[in-house]
Amino acid sequence: MNFSDKIKYQREQNHLTQKELAERTGINQADISKLENGTRNPSVNLLKRLAEGMGMALKIEFVPKQKA
């Protein structure tokens, strides 16, 4: 599952429409649509607002690559 699919999946799991998520986060509904369609890349701040609007915490992780 790619990033944009994950945003949409989590929104739907929270039983939210794009409009409802937009109202909770103050992010324009058109921008949420672009994120879900993969035509816009979010900033970390935008990801935090989305997570908060869905009652979630944002976790960004760097992990070591596996050596071949």
Side-chain angles (χ1 to χ4, degrees), residues 4-17:
S4 56
D5 291 335
K6 288 180 182 182
I7 293 174
K8 182 177 181 180
Y9 175 80
Q10 289 302 326
R11 176 181 58 77
E12 290 174 343
Q13 289 297 303
N14 282 280
H15 307 288
L16 295 169
T17 64

Side-chain angles (χ1 to χ4, degrees), residues 15-56:
H15 307 288
L16 295 169
T17 64
Q18 288 181 352
K19 182 179 179 181
E20 291 168 331
L21 184 57
E23 290 169 355
R24 285 184 178 199
T25 60
I27 299 168
N28 187 300
Q29 181 180 352
D31 289 331
I32 292 173
S33 178
K34 289 175 186 176
L35 290 168
E36 290 184 359
N37 291 325
T39 57
R40 179 174 180 197
N41 293 320
S43 65
V44 173
N45 184 46
L46 195 65
L47 290 174
K48 287 178 184 178
R49 290 169 59 192
L50 287 169
E52 175 108 1
M54 292 186 282
M56 303 177 81

Side-chain angles (χ1 to χ4, degrees), residues 51-66:
E52 175 108 1
M54 292 186 282
M56 303 177 81
L58 178 64
K59 179 180 179 183
I60 299 174
E61 204 172 37
F62 288 92
V63 296
K65 292 182 181 181
Q66 293 193 5

